[in-house]
């Protein structure tokens, strides 16, 4: 592939107060727009990136006043075109916002960030819509097809405080999911390890595994039946609306736990009942019925307990009314 001319000179970046404590790789990804992650890691490993004239590792934390030397960077034509055509600016429905963070109601079908074949996501669009913001960083993730509450930090201190809460399982994250069949009222705890693997085409998947699997990750989901929908609700198929609170945040956790229990989420194109999904699509359900509904947390500055809620979007609400 043809390559453009290199940047004419070495760059020197000075770390600001808001970036204190951020990993070097994440700091560079934010500052070097359009540069592929693989290239950023390559120049760090080679020693071409210097901090205060010394070598530095990708997981080292930067501090205010640090001066980073960035070598001339060559971009492929494709990467240059991507950098020249940034994400379109877009605001999303705001559930809560103050000077520390905002909570938005993410629509289904929108990735939270660019990568893996997606040019841009929520965070890139928000940054374009708010050029005056000194910092906007994702606190956590949601699957592309999942709608609902998503937190974005506006200060480095808020990012760390909120991520610490998620890591220490101090938040209460509850989702609404519509599943196939009648969920047993007595089945309230799903405590099965999960194992991530890749399909031959490179696509990521997750399955329930045994407790002695060295690659298994502990995963706990608490299930409460919100209501049972009668068989005549759609296609003669009984369905159940569930409130699922996750105590761990594993990849595809809710989807895999519910499917492994014999009650897949309707509309799930990875772990669902594909015949049922096709019939529901004909009836108008064009997406997976999984919504990040409620989030309990402590405010990152005041430590006040908060409860945020994002109601079901119209395209889901009509299926359970």
């Amino acid at each position: 592939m043809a390559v453009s001319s290199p940047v004419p000179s070495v760059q020197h970046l000075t770390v600001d107060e808001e970036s204190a404590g951020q990993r070097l790789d994440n700091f560079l990804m934010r500052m070097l727009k359009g540069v592929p992650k693989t290239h950023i890691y390559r120049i760090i490993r080679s020693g071409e990136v210097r901090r205060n004239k010394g070598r530095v590792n990708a997981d080292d934390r930067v501090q205010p006043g640090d001066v980073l030397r960035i070598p001339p960077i060559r971009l492929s034509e494709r990467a240059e075109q991507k950098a020249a055509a940034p994400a379109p600016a877009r605001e999303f429905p705001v559930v809560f916002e103050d000077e520390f963070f905002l909570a938005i109601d993410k629509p289904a079908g929108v990735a939270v960030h660019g990568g893996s074949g997606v040019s841009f996501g929520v965070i890139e669009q928000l940054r374009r819509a708010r050029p005056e913001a000194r910092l906007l960083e994702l606190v956590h993730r949601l699957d592309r097809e999942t709608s609902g509450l998503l937190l974005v930090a506006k200060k480095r201190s808020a990012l760390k405080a909120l991520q610490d809460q998620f890591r220490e399982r101090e938040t209460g994250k509850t989702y609404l999911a519509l599943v196939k069949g009648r969920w047993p009222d007595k089945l309230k705890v799903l405590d099965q390890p999960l194992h991530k693997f890749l399909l031959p085409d490179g696509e990521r998947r997750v399955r329930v595994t045994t407790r002695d699997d060295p690659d298994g990750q502990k995963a706990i989901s608490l299930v409460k039946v919100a209501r049972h929908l009668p068989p005549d609700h759609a296609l003669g198929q009984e369905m159940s609306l569930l409130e699922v609170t996750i105590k761990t945040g594993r990849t595809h956790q809710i989807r895999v736990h519910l499917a492994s229990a014999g009650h897949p989420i309707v509309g799930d194109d990875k772990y669902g009942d594909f015949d049922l999904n096709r019939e529901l699509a004909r009836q108008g359900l064009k997406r997976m019925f999984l919504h990040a509904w409620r989030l309990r947390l402590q405010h990152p500055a005041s430590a006040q307990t908060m409860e945020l809620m994002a109601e079901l979007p119209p395209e889901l609400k009509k299926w359970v009314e």
Side-chain angles (χ1 to χ4, degrees), residues 194-209 213 215 217 251-252 256 270-271:
L194 299 178
H195 177 95
K196 288 192 285 189
F197 64 98
L198 295 178
L199 296 176
D201 63 0
E203 191 170 353
R204 181 178 56 182
R205 285 288 192 277
V206 180
R207 60 176 171 80
V208 165
T209 189
D213 183 347
D215 295 318
Q217 293 183 308
T251 301
H252 298 170
V256 175
K270 287 184 171 64
Y271 309 100

PDB file of all heavy atoms in Angstrom, residues 194-209 213 215 217 251-252 256 270-271:
ATOM      1  N   LEU A 194     -17.528 -18.100  32.607  1.00  0.00           N
ATOM      2  CA  LEU A 194     -17.632 -17.904  31.164  1.00  0.00           C
ATOM      3  C   LEU A 194     -16.256 -17.991  30.512  1.00  0.00           C
ATOM      4  O   LEU A 194     -15.249 -17.559  31.082  1.00  0.00           O
ATOM      5  CB  LEU A 194     -18.268 -16.541  30.856  1.00  0.00           C
ATOM      6  CG  LEU A 194     -19.686 -16.327  31.394  1.00  0.00           C
ATOM      7  CD1 LEU A 194     -20.166 -14.920  31.066  1.00  0.00           C
ATOM      8  CD2 LEU A 194     -20.641 -17.369  30.843  1.00  0.00           C
ATOM      9  N   HIS A 195     -16.248 -18.548  29.313  1.00  0.00           N
ATOM     10  CA  HIS A 195     -15.003 -18.746  28.563  1.00  0.00           C
ATOM     11  C   HIS A 195     -15.124 -18.054  27.212  1.00  0.00           C
ATOM     12  O   HIS A 195     -16.050 -18.323  26.455  1.00  0.00           O
ATOM     13  CB  HIS A 195     -14.756 -20.253  28.366  1.00  0.00           C
ATOM     14  CG  HIS A 195     -13.537 -20.557  27.555  1.00  0.00           C
ATOM     15  ND1 HIS A 195     -12.317 -20.836  28.131  1.00  0.00           N
ATOM     16  CD2 HIS A 195     -13.332 -20.632  26.212  1.00  0.00           C
ATOM     17  CE1 HIS A 195     -11.431 -21.084  27.175  1.00  0.00           C
ATOM     18  NE2 HIS A 195     -12.024 -20.961  26.006  1.00  0.00           N
ATOM     19  N   LYS A 196     -14.185 -17.159  26.912  1.00  0.00           N
ATOM     20  CA  LYS A 196     -14.180 -16.456  25.623  1.00  0.00           C
ATOM     21  C   LYS A 196     -13.362 -17.240  24.603  1.00  0.00           C
ATOM     22  O   LYS A 196     -12.312 -17.784  24.936  1.00  0.00           O
ATOM     23  CB  LYS A 196     -13.600 -15.047  25.782  1.00  0.00           C
ATOM     24  CG  LYS A 196     -14.508 -14.077  26.516  1.00  0.00           C
ATOM     25  CD  LYS A 196     -14.038 -12.651  26.394  1.00  0.00           C
ATOM     26  CE  LYS A 196     -12.836 -12.379  27.260  1.00  0.00           C
ATOM     27  NZ  LYS A 196     -12.496 -10.936  27.304  1.00  0.00           N
ATOM     28  N   PHE A 197     -13.847 -17.264  23.366  1.00  0.00           N
ATOM     29  CA  PHE A 197     -13.116 -17.929  22.294  1.00  0.00           C
ATOM     30  C   PHE A 197     -13.425 -17.253  20.972  1.00  0.00           C
ATOM     31  O   PHE A 197     -14.314 -16.389  20.895  1.00  0.00           O
ATOM     32  CB  PHE A 197     -13.466 -19.427  22.243  1.00  0.00           C
ATOM     33  CG  PHE A 197     -14.914 -19.713  21.899  1.00  0.00           C
ATOM     34  CD1 PHE A 197     -15.293 -20.038  20.608  1.00  0.00           C
ATOM     35  CD2 PHE A 197     -15.907 -19.652  22.885  1.00  0.00           C
ATOM     36  CE1 PHE A 197     -16.614 -20.305  20.292  1.00  0.00           C
ATOM     37  CE2 PHE A 197     -17.240 -19.911  22.570  1.00  0.00           C
ATOM     38  CZ  PHE A 197     -17.596 -20.238  21.276  1.00  0.00           C
ATOM     39  N   LEU A 198     -12.685 -17.641  19.933  1.00  0.00           N
ATOM     40  CA  LEU A 198     -12.878 -17.055  18.604  1.00  0.00           C
ATOM     41  C   LEU A 198     -13.384 -18.109  17.635  1.00  0.00           C
ATOM     42  O   LEU A 198     -12.934 -19.263  17.652  1.00  0.00           O
ATOM     43  CB  LEU A 198     -11.563 -16.469  18.077  1.00  0.00           C
ATOM     44  CG  LEU A 198     -10.976 -15.274  18.832  1.00  0.00           C
ATOM     45  CD1 LEU A 198      -9.657 -14.855  18.190  1.00  0.00           C
ATOM     46  CD2 LEU A 198     -11.943 -14.102  18.856  1.00  0.00           C
ATOM     47  N   LEU A 199     -14.317 -17.702  16.785  1.00  0.00           N
ATOM     48  CA  LEU A 199     -14.763 -18.560  15.690  1.00  0.00           C
ATOM     49  C   LEU A 199     -13.688 -18.574  14.612  1.00  0.00           C
ATOM     50  O   LEU A 199     -12.776 -17.745  14.619  1.00  0.00           O
ATOM     51  CB  LEU A 199     -16.086 -18.029  15.120  1.00  0.00           C
ATOM     52  CG  LEU A 199     -17.286 -18.044  16.081  1.00  0.00           C
ATOM     53  CD1 LEU A 199     -18.492 -17.409  15.405  1.00  0.00           C
ATOM     54  CD2 LEU A 199     -17.600 -19.448  16.547  1.00  0.00           C
ATOM     55  N   PRO A 200     -13.772 -19.518  13.665  1.00  0.00           N
ATOM     56  CA  PRO A 200     -12.761 -19.576  12.597  1.00  0.00           C
ATOM     57  C   PRO A 200     -12.602 -18.266  11.825  1.00  0.00           C
ATOM     58  O   PRO A 200     -11.511 -17.964  11.340  1.00  0.00           O
ATOM     59  CB  PRO A 200     -13.289 -20.692  11.685  1.00  0.00           C
ATOM     60  CG  PRO A 200     -14.051 -21.591  12.610  1.00  0.00           C
ATOM     61  CD  PRO A 200     -14.694 -20.678  13.607  1.00  0.00           C
ATOM     62  N   ASP A 201     -13.682 -17.481  11.730  1.00  0.00           N
ATOM     63  CA  ASP A 201     -13.586 -16.209  11.001  1.00  0.00           C
ATOM     64  C   ASP A 201     -13.075 -15.064  11.880  1.00  0.00           C
ATOM     65  O   ASP A 201     -13.029 -13.914  11.448  1.00  0.00           O
ATOM     66  CB  ASP A 201     -14.935 -15.841  10.380  1.00  0.00           C
ATOM     67  CG  ASP A 201     -16.017 -15.609  11.440  1.00  0.00           C
ATOM     68  OD1 ASP A 201     -15.722 -15.730  12.649  1.00  0.00           O
ATOM     69  OD2 ASP A 201     -17.169 -15.317  11.055  1.00  0.00           O
ATOM     70  N   GLY A 202     -12.714 -15.390  13.135  1.00  0.00           N
ATOM     71  CA  GLY A 202     -12.157 -14.378  14.023  1.00  0.00           C
ATOM     72  C   GLY A 202     -13.172 -13.675  14.898  1.00  0.00           C
ATOM     73  O   GLY A 202     -12.807 -12.843  15.739  1.00  0.00           O
ATOM     74  N   GLU A 203     -14.461 -13.992  14.730  1.00  0.00           N
ATOM     75  CA  GLU A 203     -15.484 -13.337  15.544  1.00  0.00           C
ATOM     76  C   GLU A 203     -15.476 -13.897  16.962  1.00  0.00           C
ATOM     77  O   GLU A 203     -15.300 -15.092  17.179  1.00  0.00           O
ATOM     78  CB  GLU A 203     -16.870 -13.524  14.916  1.00  0.00           C
ATOM     79  CG  GLU A 203     -17.928 -12.644  15.563  1.00  0.00           C
ATOM     80  CD  GLU A 203     -19.244 -12.659  14.788  1.00  0.00           C
ATOM     81  OE1 GLU A 203     -19.287 -13.240  13.690  1.00  0.00           O
ATOM     82  OE2 GLU A 203     -20.217 -12.090  15.299  1.00  0.00           O
ATOM     83  N   ARG A 204     -15.684 -13.013  17.927  1.00  0.00           N
ATOM     84  CA  ARG A 204     -15.623 -13.386  19.342  1.00  0.00           C
ATOM     85  C   ARG A 204     -16.922 -14.029  19.808  1.00  0.00           C
ATOM     86  O   ARG A 204     -18.013 -13.588  19.462  1.00  0.00           O
ATOM     87  CB  ARG A 204     -15.336 -12.134  20.180  1.00  0.00           C
ATOM     88  CG  ARG A 204     -15.216 -12.362  21.668  1.00  0.00           C
ATOM     89  CD  ARG A 204     -14.885 -11.065  22.379  1.00  0.00           C
ATOM     90  NE  ARG A 204     -15.868 -10.023  22.079  1.00  0.00           N
ATOM     91  CZ  ARG A 204     -15.801  -8.775  22.530  1.00  0.00           C
ATOM     92  NH1 ARG A 204     -14.769  -8.411  23.249  1.00  0.00           N
ATOM     93  NH2 ARG A 204     -16.732  -7.895  22.226  1.00  0.00           N
ATOM     94  N   ARG A 205     -16.795 -15.070  20.614  1.00  0.00           N
ATOM     95  CA  ARG A 205     -17.943 -15.725  21.231  1.00  0.00           C
ATOM     96  C   ARG A 205     -17.618 -16.077  22.677  1.00  0.00           C
ATOM     97  O   ARG A 205     -16.446 -16.116  23.086  1.00  0.00           O
ATOM     98  CB  ARG A 205     -18.318 -17.009  20.474  1.00  0.00           C
ATOM     99  CG  ARG A 205     -19.014 -16.784  19.159  1.00  0.00           C
ATOM    100  CD  ARG A 205     -20.443 -16.291  19.341  1.00  0.00           C
ATOM    101  NE  ARG A 205     -21.180 -16.340  18.100  1.00  0.00           N
ATOM    102  CZ  ARG A 205     -21.140 -15.423  17.160  1.00  0.00           C
ATOM    103  NH1 ARG A 205     -20.363 -14.370  17.317  1.00  0.00           N
ATOM    104  NH2 ARG A 205     -21.854 -15.535  16.054  1.00  0.00           N
ATOM    105  N   VAL A 206     -18.659 -16.378  23.436  1.00  0.00           N
ATOM    106  CA  VAL A 206     -18.521 -16.727  24.851  1.00  0.00           C
ATOM    107  C   VAL A 206     -19.413 -17.921  25.128  1.00  0.00           C
ATOM    108  O   VAL A 206     -20.510 -18.039  24.569  1.00  0.00           O
ATOM    109  CB  VAL A 206     -18.928 -15.531  25.749  1.00  0.00           C
ATOM    110  CG1 VAL A 206     -18.794 -15.889  27.226  1.00  0.00           C
ATOM    111  CG2 VAL A 206     -18.086 -14.299  25.430  1.00  0.00           C
ATOM    112  N   ARG A 207     -18.955 -18.807  25.990  1.00  0.00           N
ATOM    113  CA  ARG A 207     -19.775 -19.954  26.394  1.00  0.00           C
ATOM    114  C   ARG A 207     -19.615 -20.198  27.884  1.00  0.00           C
ATOM    115  O   ARG A 207     -18.611 -19.816  28.500  1.00  0.00           O
ATOM    116  CB  ARG A 207     -19.373 -21.208  25.620  1.00  0.00           C
ATOM    117  CG  ARG A 207     -17.935 -21.638  25.817  1.00  0.00           C
ATOM    118  CD  ARG A 207     -17.638 -22.949  25.101  1.00  0.00           C
ATOM    119  NE  ARG A 207     -16.217 -23.287  25.102  1.00  0.00           N
ATOM    120  CZ  ARG A 207     -15.567 -23.831  26.122  1.00  0.00           C
ATOM    121  NH1 ARG A 207     -16.231 -24.098  27.257  1.00  0.00           N
ATOM    122  NH2 ARG A 207     -14.275 -24.105  26.043  1.00  0.00           N
ATOM    123  N   VAL A 208     -20.608 -20.851  28.472  1.00  0.00           N
ATOM    124  CA  VAL A 208     -20.517 -21.288  29.860  1.00  0.00           C
ATOM    125  C   VAL A 208     -19.487 -22.406  29.942  1.00  0.00           C
ATOM    126  O   VAL A 208     -19.402 -23.261  29.055  1.00  0.00           O
ATOM    127  CB  VAL A 208     -21.894 -21.770  30.358  1.00  0.00           C
ATOM    128  CG1 VAL A 208     -21.764 -22.563  31.660  1.00  0.00           C
ATOM    129  CG2 VAL A 208     -22.826 -20.582  30.562  1.00  0.00           C
ATOM    130  N   THR A 209     -18.686 -22.409  30.999  1.00  0.00           N
ATOM    131  CA  THR A 209     -17.666 -23.436  31.155  1.00  0.00           C
ATOM    132  C   THR A 209     -17.694 -24.002  32.565  1.00  0.00           C
ATOM    133  O   THR A 209     -18.541 -23.621  33.387  1.00  0.00           O
ATOM    134  CB  THR A 209     -16.273 -22.861  30.818  1.00  0.00           C
ATOM    135  OG1 THR A 209     -15.328 -23.925  30.780  1.00  0.00           O
ATOM    136  CG2 THR A 209     -15.830 -21.826  31.850  1.00  0.00           C
ATOM    137  N   ASP A 213     -12.043 -24.804  34.682  1.00  0.00           N
ATOM    138  CA  ASP A 213     -11.461 -24.280  33.451  1.00  0.00           C
ATOM    139  C   ASP A 213     -10.507 -23.138  33.811  1.00  0.00           C
ATOM    140  O   ASP A 213     -10.936 -22.112  34.348  1.00  0.00           O
ATOM    141  CB  ASP A 213     -12.570 -23.771  32.524  1.00  0.00           C
ATOM    142  CG  ASP A 213     -12.040 -23.265  31.184  1.00  0.00           C
ATOM    143  OD1 ASP A 213     -10.811 -23.080  31.052  1.00  0.00           O
ATOM    144  OD2 ASP A 213     -12.856 -23.040  30.272  1.00  0.00           O
ATOM    145  N   ASP A 215      -9.215 -20.964  32.027  1.00  0.00           N
ATOM    146  CA  ASP A 215      -9.530 -19.748  31.281  1.00  0.00           C
ATOM    147  C   ASP A 215     -10.937 -19.221  31.566  1.00  0.00           C
ATOM    148  O   ASP A 215     -11.382 -18.254  30.950  1.00  0.00           O
ATOM    149  CB  ASP A 215      -9.396 -20.000  29.775  1.00  0.00           C
ATOM    150  CG  ASP A 215      -7.963 -20.319  29.372  1.00  0.00           C
ATOM    151  OD1 ASP A 215      -7.053 -19.649  29.895  1.00  0.00           O
ATOM    152  OD2 ASP A 215      -7.759 -21.237  28.565  1.00  0.00           O
ATOM    153  N   GLN A 217     -13.892 -17.295  33.495  1.00  0.00           N
ATOM    154  CA  GLN A 217     -14.003 -16.076  34.307  1.00  0.00           C
ATOM    155  C   GLN A 217     -15.278 -16.156  35.145  1.00  0.00           C
ATOM    156  O   GLN A 217     -16.352 -16.467  34.635  1.00  0.00           O
ATOM    157  CB  GLN A 217     -14.068 -14.834  33.415  1.00  0.00           C
ATOM    158  CG  GLN A 217     -12.785 -14.552  32.652  1.00  0.00           C
ATOM    159  CD  GLN A 217     -12.899 -13.273  31.839  1.00  0.00           C
ATOM    160  OE1 GLN A 217     -13.835 -13.087  31.066  1.00  0.00           O
ATOM    161  NE2 GLN A 217     -11.959 -12.362  32.023  1.00  0.00           N
ATOM    162  N   THR A 251     -17.875 -10.144  29.159  1.00  0.00           N
ATOM    163  CA  THR A 251     -18.340 -10.022  27.788  1.00  0.00           C
ATOM    164  C   THR A 251     -19.556 -10.924  27.549  1.00  0.00           C
ATOM    165  O   THR A 251     -19.511 -12.112  27.848  1.00  0.00           O
ATOM    166  CB  THR A 251     -17.214 -10.412  26.810  1.00  0.00           C
ATOM    167  OG1 THR A 251     -16.087  -9.563  27.023  1.00  0.00           O
ATOM    168  CG2 THR A 251     -17.673 -10.294  25.364  1.00  0.00           C
ATOM    169  N   HIS A 252     -20.633 -10.345  27.023  1.00  0.00           N
ATOM    170  CA  HIS A 252     -21.853 -11.070  26.662  1.00  0.00           C
ATOM    171  C   HIS A 252     -22.441 -11.861  27.834  1.00  0.00           C
ATOM    172  O   HIS A 252     -23.170 -12.836  27.636  1.00  0.00           O
ATOM    173  CB  HIS A 252     -21.584 -12.039  25.490  1.00  0.00           C
ATOM    174  CG  HIS A 252     -21.154 -11.362  24.237  1.00  0.00           C
ATOM    175  ND1 HIS A 252     -20.669 -12.049  23.133  1.00  0.00           N
ATOM    176  CD2 HIS A 252     -21.126 -10.052  23.887  1.00  0.00           C
ATOM    177  CE1 HIS A 252     -20.363 -11.199  22.179  1.00  0.00           C
ATOM    178  NE2 HIS A 252     -20.629  -9.976  22.616  1.00  0.00           N
ATOM    179  N   VAL A 256     -25.285 -14.893  27.384  1.00  0.00           N
ATOM    180  CA  VAL A 256     -24.854 -16.283  27.484  1.00  0.00           C
ATOM    181  C   VAL A 256     -25.503 -16.979  28.674  1.00  0.00           C
ATOM    182  O   VAL A 256     -25.945 -18.131  28.572  1.00  0.00           O
ATOM    183  CB  VAL A 256     -23.316 -16.365  27.562  1.00  0.00           C
ATOM    184  CG1 VAL A 256     -22.854 -17.801  27.780  1.00  0.00           C
ATOM    185  CG2 VAL A 256     -22.700 -15.807  26.285  1.00  0.00           C
ATOM    186  N   LYS A 270     -26.528 -13.757  18.103  1.00  0.00           N
ATOM    187  CA  LYS A 270     -25.379 -14.615  18.386  1.00  0.00           C
ATOM    188  C   LYS A 270     -25.744 -15.848  19.202  1.00  0.00           C
ATOM    189  O   LYS A 270     -25.235 -16.940  18.965  1.00  0.00           O
ATOM    190  CB  LYS A 270     -24.288 -13.825  19.121  1.00  0.00           C
ATOM    191  CG  LYS A 270     -23.529 -12.828  18.255  1.00  0.00           C
ATOM    192  CD  LYS A 270     -22.414 -12.179  19.050  1.00  0.00           C
ATOM    193  CE  LYS A 270     -21.498 -11.337  18.151  1.00  0.00           C
ATOM    194  NZ  LYS A 270     -22.179 -10.196  17.548  1.00  0.00           N
ATOM    195  N   TYR A 271     -26.607 -15.678  20.184  1.00  0.00           N
ATOM    196  CA  TYR A 271     -26.918 -16.777  21.109  1.00  0.00           C
ATOM    197  C   TYR A 271     -28.417 -17.085  21.158  1.00  0.00           C
ATOM    198  O   TYR A 271     -28.854 -17.858  21.998  1.00  0.00           O
ATOM    199  CB  TYR A 271     -26.429 -16.418  22.522  1.00  0.00           C
ATOM    200  CG  TYR A 271     -24.996 -15.966  22.584  1.00  0.00           C
ATOM    201  CD1 TYR A 271     -24.663 -14.610  22.655  1.00  0.00           C
ATOM    202  CD2 TYR A 271     -23.949 -16.886  22.543  1.00  0.00           C
ATOM    203  CE1 TYR A 271     -23.344 -14.190  22.704  1.00  0.00           C
ATOM    204  CE2 TYR A 271     -22.623 -16.476  22.593  1.00  0.00           C
ATOM    205  CZ  TYR A 271     -22.328 -15.119  22.676  1.00  0.00           C
ATOM    206  OH  TYR A 271     -21.016 -14.710  22.720  1.00  0.00           O
TER     207      TYR A 271
END
